[in-house]
């Protein structure tokens, strides 16, 4: 199966840093999808359903380890051949639990592969202009090659303006109009692609799932996951249906899918009887629900 979406990280002088960064982001996203134990002892994770109706788990941690090993080797190549260490800046605004979880994962992945990384943590009271000014500082920092602004941002901030302020060559998340346009246009390659959809496609391909010709249903149409993932799966020759809050007969549509990706931001929405035997499920969701038995007072579910 041709792997158009993520290519092997063989760096070049001009494109190496963002290429390595994109794949490291995918590794972080894959790692977030590792199995999670539920209170009843069952495991919730990305899974492949067999015809015997027994879930075969896709080992996200194993895949993440493999990818990070590849990226670490690429970083060593950059350091040896160009005296260059990729620099990543992660900007987070506010205290959303799901965003904090993703940022911790990305920070850990960056450290493991040898990136120079910095965190810019800002209060949710920050103004849009102040946030754009922080992005501009990072644009002008020669030690920073890639900038990631964690989404979603507080409602009083225009995400489009903030993302547009990131230099295209430092757009680690691939959310700029230029990169998204390149992702969707045939025959073009973006400088970077969104890490969570990249993680999904890596999980599918590295697990031997046949994407070409498959019927894929994506639950959610966000700019972060749903829409870029639809473009990626189509580039791998899947037939893609994107569902959302206005979709009718959602259960019936899911039951027809060979591949289901749940990314609607609603906890535990997809039920087991929605899935046909043999389908593959990627659970993107990281939702916090109250749980007094946990140290932090909540637990994460899909």
């Amino acid at each position: 199966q041709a792997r158009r979406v993520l290519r092997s990280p063989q760096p070049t002088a001009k494109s190496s840093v963002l290429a390595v960064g994109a794949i490291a982001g995918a590794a972080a996203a894959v790692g977030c999808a590792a199995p999670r134990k539920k209170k009843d002892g069952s495991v919730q994770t990305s899974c492949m359903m067999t015809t015997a109706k027994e879930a075969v788990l896709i080992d996200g941690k194993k895949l993440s380890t493999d990818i990070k090993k590849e990226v670490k080797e690429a970083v060593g190549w950059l350091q040896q051949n160009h005296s260059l260490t990729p620099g990543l800046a992660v900007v987070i605004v506010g205290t959303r639990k799901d965003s904090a979880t993703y940022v911790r994962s990305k920070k850990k992945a960056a450290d493991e592969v040898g990136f120079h990384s910095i965190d810019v943590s800002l209060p949710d009271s920050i103004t849009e202009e102040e946030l754009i000014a922080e992005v501009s500082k990072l644009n002008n920092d020669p030690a920073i090659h890639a900038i990631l602004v964690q989404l979603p941002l507080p409602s009083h901030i225009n995400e489009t303006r903030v993302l547009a302020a990131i230099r295209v060559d430092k757009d680690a998340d691939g959310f700029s109009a230029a990169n998204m346009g390149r992702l969707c246009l045939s025959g073009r390659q973006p400088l970077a692609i969104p890490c969570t959809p990249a993680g999904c496609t890596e999980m599918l391909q590295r697990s031997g799932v046949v994407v070409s010709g498959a019927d894929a249903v994506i639950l959610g149409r966000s700019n972060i996951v749903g829409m870029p993932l639809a473009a990626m799966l189509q580039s791998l020759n899947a037939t893609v249906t994107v569902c959302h809050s206005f979709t009718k007969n959602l259960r019936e549509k899911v039951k027809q899918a060979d591949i289901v990706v749940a990314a609607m931001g609603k906890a535990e929405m997809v039920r087991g009887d929605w899935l046909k035997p043999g389908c593959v499920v990627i659970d993107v969701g990281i939702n916090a629900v109250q749980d007094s038995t946990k140290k932090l007072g909540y637990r994460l579910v899909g």
Side-chain angles (χ1 to χ4, degrees), residues 120-139:
V120 181
S121 298
L122 303 167
D124 54 15
S125 59
I126 193 171
T127 67
E128 185 175 306
E129 296 304 325
E130 289 171 335
L131 178 54
I132 290 176
E134 292 291 335
V135 171
S136 296
K137 292 178 186 177
L138 298 171
N139 281 337

Side-chain angles (χ1 to χ4, degrees), residues 278-296:
C279 79
V280 179
V281 181
I282 301 292
D283 181 6
V284 174
I286 295 185
N287 300 289
V289 297
Q290 290 185 343
D291 188 339
S292 60
T293 67
K294 299 297 182 180
K295 182 178 179 180
L296 296 177

Side-chain angles (χ1 to χ4, degrees), residues 78-90:
L78 281 171
Q79 292 170 333
Q80 181 176 352
N81 292 277
H82 295 284
S83 299
L84 176 64
T85 297
L88 172 68
V90 179

Side-chain angles (χ1 to χ4, degrees), residues 56-84:
V56 178
L57 300 181
I58 294 176
D59 191 343
K61 287 187 176 180
K62 170 63 167 59
L63 297 178
S64 178
T65 298
D66 292 344
I67 296 172
K68 283 184 281 192
K69 181 181 178 181
E70 296 170 9
V71 175
K72 189 171 183 177
E73 291 173 355
V75 171
W77 185 93
L78 281 171
Q79 292 170 333
Q80 181 176 352
N81 292 277
H82 295 284
S83 299
L84 176 64

Side-chain angles (χ1 to χ4, degrees), residues 218-228 242-246 263-264:
I218 300 172
L219 304 179
R221 55 178 174 179
S222 71
N223 291 335
I224 303 172
V225 182
M227 298 314 291
V242 177
C243 299
H244 45 78
S245 57
F246 290 89
M264 293 193 84

Side-chain angles (χ1 to χ4, degrees), residues 199-230:
C200 292
T201 57
E202 284 294 288
M203 292 183 79
L204 292 170
Q205 293 180 104
R206 289 174 183 255
S207 300
V209 176
V210 179
V211 178
S212 181
D215 289 319
V217 170
I218 300 172
L219 304 179
R221 55 178 174 179
S222 71
N223 291 335
I224 303 172
V225 182
M227 298 314 291
L229 180 58

Side-chain angles (χ1 to χ4, degrees), residues 86-213:
L88 172 68
V90 179
V91 180
I92 182 170
V93 180
T95 57
R96 282 180 60 112
K97 296 182 179 69
D98 54 350
S99 291
T101 298
Y102 272 119
V103 169
R104 284 195 300 269
S105 178
K106 292 168 185 175
K107 172 68 174 176
K108 181 181 178 182
D111 291 341
E112 289 175 352
V113 299
F115 284 6
H116 161 62
S117 65
I118 63 171
D119 295 338
V120 181
S121 298
L122 303 167
D124 54 15
S125 59
I126 193 171
T127 67
E128 185 175 306
E129 296 304 325
E130 289 171 335
L131 178 54
I132 290 176
E134 292 291 335
V135 171
S136 296
K137 292 178 186 177
L138 298 171
N139 281 337
N140 296 323
D141 186 342
I144 298 300
H145 305 96
I147 302 168
L148 187 157
V149 176
Q150 184 64 37
L151 301 180
L153 294 172
S155 59
H156 68 279
I157 295 177
N158 185 324
E159 291 182 354
T160 302
R161 280 199 67 207
V162 174
L163 297 179
I166 302 173
R167 275 175 38 181
V168 173
D169 61 326
K170 293 191 176 188
D171 176 25
D173 255 332
F175 288 151
S176 70
N179 274 324
M180 291 295 282
R182 285 173 172 267
L183 176 65
C184 295
L185 293 174
S186 298
R188 305 293 294 274
Q189 287 285 349
L191 294 174
I193 54 180
C195 68
T196 302
C200 292
T201 57
E202 284 294 288
M203 292 183 79
L204 292 170
Q205 293 180 104
R206 289 174 183 255
S207 300
V209 176
V210 179
V211 178
S212 181

